[in-house]
Amino acid sequence: MEPFDTPEIIVTTRLVLRGSLPSDLPILYDHVFSDGAVMRHAFTGAPLSLPQATDFFENNFDHKACGTKLGVLTDRATTEVLGFAGLLPCDVLGAADYEIGFILRRAAWGHGYATEIGMGQLEYGFSTKGCRRLLAQVSPQNNASISVLQKIGMKFLRTVETHERGTRLVYVAHNHGLLPNRGAS
């Protein structure tokens, strides 16, 4: 594993969400983007081809570690790539919001990483980015992620139909003044 060449965005007890490096793409492709079990509830519900994954990586990942794109999720102790997560701009409710998200390689399932990075994203979005609310969109069939969203305190708001992702359940968490609010949605 190479040392971190990009700033850390979110650090939790066991995880680091960091900016992406070109060397992350082959790992993410092998263990996330091309894995049908991992991708069945993400995006269009199907694995990505290498050209699709490359385009997605180049256009949606946080190569500058700004904190409002997808970052690479790693094990804090070993730096092993576990998947990706991050705040993304989201207008599914007709406002300028951010959504949290996490997609983990199969070997990372069942270890509590989704809950840990979900909580980290909420704290980051509220305390660092000053968001008033954060959203999450989840496939109605993705019971594991629904459970995580409920565990981290997000509440079901409504069901939406999107062209890009199909039917999604929208969950919301509000910053009720417990953390600084810098005026962002």
Side-chain angles (χ1 to χ4, degrees):
M1 295 283 155
E2 63 189 278
F4 295 126
D5 291 333
T6 60
E8 298 170 343
I9 300 164
I10 298 172
V11 178
T12 68
T13 303
R14 300 179 297 159
L15 304 171
V16 172
L17 182 67
R18 61 169 173 77
S20 56
L21 302 169
S23 58
D24 294 322
L25 178 58
I27 298 165
L28 288 170
Y29 181 74
D30 288 345
H31 298 284
V32 179
F33 293 130
S34 67
D35 187 325
V38 171
M39 296 300 291
R40 77 175 179 261
H41 296 306
F43 311 119
T44 62
L48 300 180
S49 67
L50 184 54
Q52 289 171 320
T54 300
D55 182 63
F56 183 80
F57 182 80
E58 289 173 357
N59 291 310
N60 296 287
F61 272 73
D62 202 346
H63 307 293
K64 296 181 181 175
C66 68
T68 54
K69 291 184 118 183
L70 295 172
V72 176
L73 187 63
T74 64
D75 182 291
R76 188 173 176 185
T78 67
T79 72
E80 177 185 20
V81 173
L82 301 175
F84 61 91
L87 298 185
L88 289 173
C90 178
D91 63 1
V92 72
L93 298 180
D97 288 302
Y98 285 101
E99 70 175 291
I100 69 165
F102 41 82
I103 298 180
L104 304 175
R105 67 194 290 171
R106 268 195 274 178
W109 293 358
H111 299 283
Y113 295 138
T115 300
E116 189 170 329
I117 196 57
M119 288 297 296
Q121 288 176 93
L122 290 177
E123 182 180 336
Y124 178 80
F126 292 142
S127 66
T128 302
K129 292 298 183 184
C131 298
R132 289 189 305 258
R133 72 178 177 187
L134 290 168
L135 307 177
Q137 295 184 72
V138 61
S139 165
Q141 293 79 33
N142 192 343
N143 293 323
S145 288
I146 291 168
S147 176
V148 167
L149 296 176
Q150 292 169 341
K151 191 182 297 184
I152 66 174
M154 297 190 83
K155 305 292 184 205
F156 173 74
L157 184 64
R158 70 174 66 140
T159 301
V160 297
E161 189 71 34
T162 69
H163 175 70
E164 300 83 19
R165 297 188 196 174
T167 302
R168 290 293 183 253
L169 306 179
V170 177
Y171 280 75
V172 63
H174 292 276
N175 181 359
H176 293 291
L178 303 174
L179 298 168
N181 185 333
R182 296 188 181 89
S185 290

